[in-house]
């Protein structure tokens, strides 16, 4: 009897290769490590999509604070470095503590520009940045303190709510690429001129043609080809600016507190803590959106780890010249459009940002992409985010009249700042900060109405559908 027993015992010994192969094929797309031939172009798409957004806050704030060209260059380099470090922390992170481990890009948010400029205006020349940085550091501590509570509130963000927020991210950001398509500079004499619009239209047409006729990986990097061919088309018409290459220093590592020691002013701190609440809402919405796009459940712990990374980057960023850090919605659009969901792609993009920050001359090469070209590509990016939200709403039980009302009112509240920018002009400053962002206003209304319709006073335990597990 012993002899027959050896047959079955030997059979499992021949199976490990099959199990190993199954293990390889079962790797989630978020954790997939792509070949460099696919990884590098995909990472470049993320860099191209986000570069203008990363450098916009330091450019605007630097000019408002009266910094010269060299100082603004240092400010931009610091913003790129902090964005790179924060992005790597988010994508790779420390399991169980830091990082949401999603293809998530973090950088200085444009949502904080208006209150930061208000702080600069209320301080004497030379004291604006120290007051700003002191308030930003406290806002980072504030984020770290209340971040865990955001994660625990996840059950109040079913598809009914997240669908509204994701849709609003795409819709409310659409003016950004439209402005880029018109030239990017509203004060320029040729803003909105036909040659800008034609270049944006050409870029959009290239992306559409590649999406229609491209195959495989070429189709996935349609955005990159659109940016490249759009930039090449701009050169013969003198629409590509090469002056940045001449003035950019080769290397410029930021020095700690190069713009002065931080000052802690109560009014400035209160203002930026309110801004941080808005950024945390947007960052949480971005993580929920990516969870849906990547088919990986975004649970309370994931959001807590992601917000902890935001808080650390916001707290330490001012040491080198950074600003409040949050999610970058345009890169959510890149993931949605290309379906390349590997977090390692975004980690490489983060490492590239660090290199661009350490060597500004390399960053100047990326900035050669004309604004109209970015505008043509941005319409696709932000539109794809809105489509992701609509897809989520389609699973949210819109046959229920209460849900229809909830979505209608929340979308309306989110579109008010877009349709009537001065609507909240007579509201208190803190209310303007919160409600002036269509994303945060729509999110607050959606969460409140979800509580009203599906939680308060319900005896049957009827709630809106929960987020699906992957």
């Amino acid at each position: 009897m012993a002899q027959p027993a050896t047959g079955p015992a030997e059979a499992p010994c021949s199976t490990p290769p099959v199990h190993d192969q199954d293990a390889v094929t079962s790797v989630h797309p978020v954790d997939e490590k792509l070949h460099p031939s696919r990884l590098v172009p995909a990472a470049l798409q993320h860099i191209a999509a986000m570069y203008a957004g990363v450098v916009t806050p330091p450019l605007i704030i630097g000019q408002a604070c009266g910094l010269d060209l060299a100082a603004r260059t240092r400010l931009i380099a610091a913003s790129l470095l902090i964005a790179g470090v924060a992005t790597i922390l988010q994508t790779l992170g420390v399991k169980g503590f830091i990082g949401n481990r999603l293809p998530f890009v973090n950088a200085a948010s444009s949502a904080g520009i208006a209150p930061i400029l208000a702080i600069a205006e209320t301080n004497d020349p030379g004291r604006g940045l120290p007051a700003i940085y002191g308030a930003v550091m406290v806002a980072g501590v504030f984020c770290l303190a209340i971040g865990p509570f955001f994660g625990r509130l996840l059950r109040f963000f079913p598809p009914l709510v997240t669908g509204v927020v994701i849709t609003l991210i795409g819709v409310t950001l659409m003016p950004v690429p439209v402005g880029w398509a018109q030239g990017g500079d509203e004060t320029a004499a040729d803003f909105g001129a036909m040659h800008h619009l034609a270049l944006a239209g050409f870029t959009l047409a290239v992306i559409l043609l590649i999406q229609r006729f491209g195959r495989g990986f070429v189709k996935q990097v349609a955005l990159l080809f659109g940016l490249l061919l759009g930039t090449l088309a701009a050169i013969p018409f003198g629409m590509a600016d090469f002056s940045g290459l001449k003035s950019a220093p080769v290397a410029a590592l930021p020095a700690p507190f190069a713009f002065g020691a931080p000052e802690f002013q109560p009014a400035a701190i209160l203002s930026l803590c309110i801004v941080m609440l808005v950024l945390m809402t947007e960052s949480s919405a971005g993580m929920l959106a990516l969870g849906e796009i990547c088919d990986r459940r975004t649970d309370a712990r994931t959001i807590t780890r992601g917000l902890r990374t935001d808080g650390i980057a916001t707290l330490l960023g001012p040491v080198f010249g950074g600003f409040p850090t949050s999610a970058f919605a345009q890169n959510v659009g890149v993931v949605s459009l290309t379906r390349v969901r590997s977090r390692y792609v975004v980690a490489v993009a983060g490492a590239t940002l660090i290199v661009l920050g350490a060597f500004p001359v390399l960053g100047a090469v990326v900035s050669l992409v004309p604004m109209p070209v970015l505008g043509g590509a941005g319409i696709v990016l932000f539109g794809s985010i809105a489509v992701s939200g609509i897809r989520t709403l389609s699973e949210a039980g819109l046959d229920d009249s209460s849900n229809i009302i909830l979505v209608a009112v929340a979308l309306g509240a989110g579109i008010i700042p877009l349709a009537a920018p001065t609507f909240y002009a007579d509201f208190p400053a803190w209310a303007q900060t919160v409600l002036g962002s269509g994303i945060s206003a729509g999110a607050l209304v959606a969460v409140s109405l979800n509580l009203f319709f599906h939680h308060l006073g319900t005896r049957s335990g009827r709630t809106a559908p929960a987020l699906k597990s992957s």
Side-chain angles (χ1 to χ4, degrees):
M1 297 297 290
Q3 197 66 15
T6 58
E10 291 174 358
C13 295
S14 62
T15 57
V18 177
H19 291 312
D20 289 343
Q21 185 176 354
D22 289 343
V24 172
T25 56
S26 65
V27 171
H28 194 282
V30 171
D31 300 317
E32 184 181 4
K33 296 181 180 179
L34 304 179
H35 189 274
S37 62
R38 295 182 59 203
L39 186 148
V40 173
L44 288 176
Q45 283 195 131
H46 281 280
I47 295 295
M50 74 180 296
Y51 186 84
V54 175
V55 302
T56 295
L59 272 175
I60 296 175
I61 296 168
Q63 290 175 344
C65 292
L67 301 183
D68 58 21
L69 179 59
R72 291 200 301 270
T73 300
R74 294 199 304 271
L75 210 59
I76 292 171
S79 185
L80 290 167
L81 280 169
I82 298 302
V85 171
T87 298
I88 290 176
L89 285 176
Q90 283 286 25
T91 52
L92 303 181
V94 178
K95 192 172 184 180
F97 183 67
I98 298 175
N100 53 37
R101 298 168 73 86
L102 290 169
F104 194 79
V105 173
N106 271 77
S109 173
S110 297
I113 291 178
I116 285 176
L117 294 182
I119 295 173
E121 291 174 0
T122 57
N123 280 272
D124 297 331
R127 295 188 60 190
L129 279 176
I132 290 167
Y133 286 140
V136 171
M137 294 178 77
V138 175
V141 174
F142 177 70
C143 178
L144 290 172
I146 69 170
F149 298 101
F150 266 70
R152 294 172 188 171
L153 296 175
L154 186 62
R155 65 191 182 95
F156 300 116
F157 288 83
L160 192 65
V161 174
T162 58
V164 169
V165 175
I166 297 167
T167 303
L168 284 173
I169 290 175
V171 172
T172 61
L173 290 176
M174 193 56 70
V176 175
V178 171
W180 291 347
Q182 294 176 285
D185 184 2
E186 295 184 5
T187 63
D190 62 346
F191 181 75
M194 185 54 68
H195 60 274
H196 290 316
L197 301 180
L199 184 57
F202 172 78
T203 303
L204 178 59
V206 169
I207 295 172
L208 294 176
L209 288 172
I210 295 176
Q211 280 289 321
R212 172 63 181 85
F213 298 107
R215 294 291 182 270
F217 183 64
V218 172
K219 189 173 182 177
Q220 288 183 331
V221 293
L223 185 70
L224 185 61
F225 277 116
L227 293 169
L228 176 61
L229 294 178
T231 302
L232 292 175
I235 293 175
F237 299 97
M239 297 174 66
D241 186 7
F242 292 90
S243 62
L245 287 175
K246 300 177 182 178
S247 59
V250 175
L253 290 174
F257 300 118
F259 301 98
E263 298 181 10
F264 302 96
Q265 302 176 3
I269 290 171
L270 177 61
S271 175
L272 286 194
C273 282
I274 294 173
V275 169
M276 201 68 221
L277 283 173
V278 175
L279 296 184
M280 292 171 71
T281 302
E282 294 183 356
S283 196
S284 298
M287 284 182 263
L288 290 166
L290 267 180
E292 292 289 327
I293 294 169
C294 297
D295 296 321
R296 168 167 282 182
R297 180 179 173 82
T298 303
D299 57 18
R301 293 180 179 178
T302 302
I303 290 183
T304 298
R305 293 196 307 269
L307 293 178
R308 185 174 290 129
T309 308
D310 287 357
I312 291 173
T314 301
L315 170 61
L316 299 181
V319 175
F320 299 100
F323 298 103
T325 299
S326 183
F328 253 43
Q330 51 263 58
N331 294 86
V332 176
V334 173
V335 176
S336 176
L337 177 66
T338 65
R339 304 303 296 173
V340 177
R341 293 171 282 179
S342 171
R343 58 192 173 97
Y344 296 102
V345 167
V346 178
V348 170
T352 305
L353 288 175
I354 294 176
V355 174
L356 293 177
F359 299 93
V361 68
L362 298 178
V365 173
V366 179
S367 67
L368 291 177
V369 180
M371 282 293 179
V373 174
L374 288 174
I379 289 172
V380 178
L381 284 178
F382 297 130
S384 66
I385 298 175
V387 170
S388 296
I390 294 170
R391 184 171 61 229
T392 302
L393 284 173
S394 68
E395 305 171 356
L398 291 183
D399 52 341
D400 187 321
S401 61
S402 296
N403 291 346
I404 293 174
I405 293 295
L406 185 157
V407 173
V409 175
L411 287 176
I415 293 174
I416 285 175
L418 188 66
T422 60
F423 187 84
Y424 298 109
D426 293 331
F427 280 58
W430 66 266
Q432 293 183 42
T433 301
V434 176
L435 300 177
S437 167
I439 299 170
S440 59
L444 289 173
V445 171
V447 170
S448 300
L449 291 182
N450 180 56
L451 286 170
F452 177 70
F453 284 119
H454 299 300
H455 291 273
L456 298 180
T458 57
R459 295 181 179 179
S460 62
R462 181 177 68 90
T463 60
L467 285 174
K468 299 187 298 180
S469 299
S470 57

